[in-house]
Amino acid sequence: MWGYTLLFCRRLLSHREVPWRARVTLGSGLLYAASPVTLVPDFIPVIGKLDNVLAVVIAIRLSVAFIPVPALIEAWPGERGQLRMLAGRRIPMEEGRG
């Protein structure tokens, strides 16, 4: 799912319907995760990498409020249920499912 998440962020950053606030939020989360300077050093087992993952997930959760749902669905490469877990309840269930 991590690969889907990075591809999703890249697609959202280049999507024309995504407002600048959402782009800045997503970009900040990705930059934090890629930066060697973080709050918790990466050499600490488990927790060192966990703060990077949380930065990206929190950035996605915050930016979803500004992005139209059709743009979110179009940018996600995986199943809609996975997107719903990542982005929250704004994402409708798949067609034909309750």
Side-chain angles (χ1 to χ4, degrees):
M1 192 161 148
W2 187 244
Y4 282 169
T5 305
L6 294 177
L7 180 59
F8 177 61
C9 289
R10 186 179 67 83
R11 287 179 178 176
L12 286 177
L13 287 172
S14 63
H15 200 285
R16 58 182 157 69
E17 292 182 30
V18 175
W20 67 270
R21 278 187 248 173
R23 290 176 201 237
V24 168
T25 304
L26 279 174
S28 298
L30 290 172
L31 281 175
Y32 178 84
S35 172
V37 179
T38 59
L39 294 176
V40 180
D42 287 343
F43 63 82
I44 297 175
V46 181
I47 298 171
K49 299 292 182 187
L50 186 64
D51 74 321
N52 295 340
V53 173
L54 285 175
V56 173
V57 171
I58 290 170
I60 290 171
R61 284 288 183 130
L62 290 174
S63 62
V64 160
F66 304 112
I67 302 172
V69 173
L72 292 169
I73 293 171
E74 181 183 328
W76 182 251
E79 296 178 19
R80 194 177 293 184
Q82 294 172 333
L83 175 60
R84 190 173 163 92
M85 280 192 316
L86 182 66
R89 299 206 181 269
R90 279 191 65 212
I91 307 302
M93 295 297 280
E94 292 184 40
E95 306 293 323
R97 295 179 86 183

